[in-house]
Amino acid sequence: MLGKDLSNALSGIADDKIESAMNTYARRKVRVRQGWLRVAAVAATLAILLTAALWPAETEEGFITAPGVMKVYAHNLTEEGVQKSAVTNMIEDVRYEPNFWTPGMSRLFGLPFSLEIPDGYFGDQEITFAVSANHGAFWKHEGLEEGYAKLGDSFKIQNDERIFWKCSMEELTEVIKNQEEIYADICVYAGQTLVGYGIIEICYTAQGLLFPLRCDTACFPPVNGELQAVPADYVGLQMEDLRNQKIFVSWEDKQKEINAYWDAFFDGKG
Amino acid sequence: MEDHRIIELFWDRSEEAIPAAAGKYGPLCRQIALNLLRSESDAEECVNDTWLALWNAIPPEKPARLSTFVAKIARNLAMKRLTYRNAAKRSCVTVSYEELSECIPAERTVHEELEARELAALLDRFLDTLEPDSRNIFLRRYWFFDSTRQIARGFGVSESAVRSRLFYIRKKLKDYLLKEADIHVG
């Protein structure tokens, strides 16, 4: 049997499924079109973003969101220096830019990240990010003399500022034993206004390698030149939804897939 | 025009039947044909063949869902044309076939244990196990042959999210086929 045979057999599936798939884009197109019309007044600002971001969309609550505006970069230290690669949602991206860290690694202090909002996206408002993690902690390099400083449970950093996530082997062992997931939550502020959010999922292998598996972000672009007043509890719910979106059917499946990838990578087949 | 009215036109052998069907389902058929054939001229011929096939099928057919009936005809004709053309160039369709080949556990096992006519029913049952979005993404890729880019834009997600989701679904299908083959053997 070939893939073509499976493809041919798909012709015999129930009509309601085909019809649902047939109309699925149209159901989404209406909401996207409405959002696009509403932000047309700030097209000059959005034009910069749409080349890199997805189409703005309107939520059921009436907020305009723009996914992909905030970029999360994982950093890798190579012979050529520090390289940044955008964290997306596919394990295969790791294949091209293998950013990983493990407790006890000497060349990296922790798993390096930086967060970025394009210049001018929120006008001349200062951009800061509030970051917290459910396991481990974030650190920042304060200078040659000061060294690394542990950041609090929730801290603010500047645009494109590098931070490091790390945890102890003891904590990682507990996390693996309890089959827990590691997330970093991000809230974006323009001045004092909450204007975006995101989550980073940090994954681990059985051998204790840690790497960024995926991230999801969304911003609330200005509408008619004004920042949207988005309640913090609404953002909290959206972030919970993002954390609940899984690309693997089970924890076991995820670990099996991830371990297989890294085994192949270190065997030189990745 | 309502589907039942278009079907009536076919049954009445009215010369307005094909224009009515083409007006409503032409873009759909054209998109399916274009996804498979990647050629405007081939797609146009395929779409024209679709109306002829529809004229020959109705009557005696009285499809409950005209949209899917038309789409199936267009898809089957496009696939036949593609096979006939024997496209050597790597296309979205050959990529789709290759991706689906990953779902086949072992050619000998599935060939021996599952009859071909049961495969459609089996795939239908498998699709019932998926969440609606996953099901629709799977069908847009392997029934409609949309590119991952088209699917990403249609669903408002990143291409990498689409590829991840398809990867997971194919894996699930492979496990499902293995399990069905074992059950069939007993």
Side-chain angles (χ1 to χ4, degrees), chain A residues 60-200:
Chain A
E60 287 177 0
E61 295 77 10
F63 301 118
I64 306 298
T65 63
V69 170
M70 172 170 41
K71 295 292 183 196
V72 174
Y73 290 100
H75 296 222
N76 194 11
L77 191 62
T78 68
E79 288 178 359
E80 290 78 29
V82 174
Q83 290 181 353
K84 282 165 63 169
S85 55
V87 181
T88 55
N89 291 331
M90 188 165 121
I91 189 174
E92 285 188 18
D93 281 352
V94 178
R95 194 186 305 274
Y96 302 108
E97 290 291 344
N99 301 296
F100 66 89
W101 173 82
T102 186
M105 178 186 276
S106 59
R107 67 184 181 93
L108 280 175
F109 181 76
L111 202 55
F113 292 102
S114 59
L115 310 173
E116 195 175 291
I117 294 282
D119 286 338
Y121 186 80
F122 292 106
D124 56 2
Q125 299 274 3
E126 187 194 18
I127 300 298
T128 54
F129 302 90
V131 188
S132 58
N134 65 339
H135 292 293
F138 281 94
W139 297 66
K140 190 171 85 167
H141 192 236
E142 298 282 11
L144 282 177
E145 288 189 8
E146 297 84 354
Y148 290 90
K150 187 174 178 180
L151 299 165
D153 288 340
S154 176
F155 57 89
K156 289 205 172 185
I157 55 169
Q158 307 297 317
N159 217 11
D160 204 24
E161 187 173 1
R162 198 187 317 171
I163 51 176
F164 297 86
W165 179 89
K166 66 187 291 178
C167 73
S168 65
M169 184 51 88
E170 290 75 22
E171 186 174 6
L172 180 59
T173 305
E174 274 303 300
V175 166
I176 294 175
K177 184 177 121 188
N178 298 328
Q179 297 184 5
E180 293 181 60
E181 287 167 333
I182 304 173
Y183 286 106
D185 289 346
I186 307 162
C187 289
V188 189
Y189 292 87
Q192 300 299 317
T193 307
L194 179 57
V195 292
Y197 62 92
I199 60 114
I200 305 171

Side-chain angles (χ1 to χ4, degrees), chain A residues 33-62:
Chain A
R33 192 178 296 125
Q34 288 172 346
W36 173 243
L37 288 172
R38 285 187 57 178
V39 301
V42 287
T45 307
L46 287 174
I48 300 168
L49 307 163
L50 288 174
T51 53
L54 302 176
W55 298 105
E58 183 175 359
T59 71
E60 287 177 0
E61 295 77 10

Side-chain angles (χ1 to χ4, degrees), chain B residues 169-181:
Chain B
I169 297 170
R170 290 198 303 271
K171 185 177 181 310
K172 201 174 175 190
L173 174 58
K174 182 174 177 177
D175 292 342
Y176 191 87
L177 287 175
L178 259 176
K179 187 179 159 192
E180 284 292 317

